[in-house]
Amino acid sequence: MSQHDQNWKFADDIVSESEAIRAARAQSLELGIEPVAPSIGAQAAVIASASRATSILEVGTGVGVSGLWLLRGSPAATLTSIDVEPDHLHSARANFSDAGIQPSRVRLITGRARDVLPRMNENAYDIVFVDADPVGAIEYVEHALRLARPGGTVLVAHALWKGRVADPAQRDEVTTGFRTLVTEIAASPAVVSALSTVGDGLLQLTKLGD
């Protein structure tokens, strides 16, 4: 195992997940859903806590792993989460309930993100967490930047896409899309950004004020 792989494994292994998150993670894997890595969840929770987020939008619910992490970091926040699969949302609702999260703090929306996001309020969210169909990542981030308030943060999971983004020889549609997103965001004067290499990569961008 390379030193990089050791560091990556260590970053995941040291994370202490709650029983509710561990149960949701196990359910995700059973259903064939790829949940965010523990290190990504922990990092998202730190960002939510540091930003004192009260309003969070999630694009791609799964069965609630990332949502549980975000609400763990910001226990006063409300979460709006979008997913195209009703069965996944049903499971997520149960997992939030099992974690002791009040129903009033979670709003789950069934639908395709590209159909739902254009109808949502601009400058309304402290954090927008993007973990949906990777083919649409660039489109979702464009919407996320519109929906995040000035000073709000957009988080994009899987930004290194299975380690392929850093390899210029990898040119499939998803890899190329994430590579374009990461490089364009890095050069944008409208945000400050950073790319974390834990898990499968977490792109972090904070929207600058007008």
Side-chain angles (χ1 to χ4, degrees):
M1 183 182 291
S2 69
Q3 185 179 48
H4 178 272
D5 289 341
Q6 286 179 327
N7 289 339
W8 176 87
K9 185 176 185 302
F10 181 73
D12 265 348
D13 289 347
I14 62 169
V15 175
S16 177
E17 291 194 307
S18 68
E19 182 177 345
I21 294 175
R22 289 197 304 271
R25 180 177 300 283
Q27 186 180 32
S28 293
L29 297 174
E30 288 174 4
L31 294 173
I33 303 168
E34 185 176 358
V36 295
S39 53
I40 294 292
Q43 196 162 89
V46 168
I47 293 168
S49 179
S51 62
R52 299 182 180 180
T54 60
S55 184
I56 300 172
L57 173 64
E58 180 181 45
V59 185
T61 312
V63 298
V65 173
S66 51
L68 287 167
W69 267 115
L70 288 161
L71 292 177
R72 179 178 177 180
S74 192
T78 58
L79 173 72
T80 299
S81 191
I82 306 164
D83 203 287
V84 72
E85 296 289 347
D87 290 346
H88 294 173
L89 290 173
H90 178 76
S91 296
R93 191 181 302 279
N95 290 330
F96 289 128
S97 178
D98 290 345
I101 295 169
Q102 294 298 317
S104 60
R105 294 183 57 209
V106 179
R107 177 189 179 206
L108 301 180
I109 300 174
T110 306
R112 299 169 61 205
R114 58 174 41 92
D115 296 330
V116 176
L117 292 172
R119 304 197 300 266
M120 304 193 79
N121 293 331
E122 296 185 7
N123 302 321
Y125 296 94
D126 300 309
I127 292 176
V128 182
F129 189 90
V130 178
D131 184 16
D133 175 16
V135 173
I138 292 177
E139 179 184 356
Y140 301 148
V141 171
E142 289 173 351
H143 283 297
L145 285 170
R146 179 180 61 84
L147 299 174
R149 64 168 177 78
T153 295
V154 177
L155 303 174
V156 186
H158 307 294
L160 289 173
W161 193 244
K162 307 180 189 304
R164 298 169 66 88
V165 168
D167 181 358
Q170 303 294 332
R171 298 184 180 181
D172 61 274
E173 182 182 10
V174 173
T175 301
T176 301
F178 273 119
R179 187 181 296 126
T180 299
L181 173 63
V182 169
T183 54
E184 289 186 355
I185 286 297
S188 172
V191 300
V192 290
S193 65
L195 177 61
S196 171
T197 58
V198 297
D200 197 20
L202 182 68
L203 179 61
Q204 308 159 62
L205 42 145
T206 295
K207 178 178 175 180
L208 298 176
D210 297 333

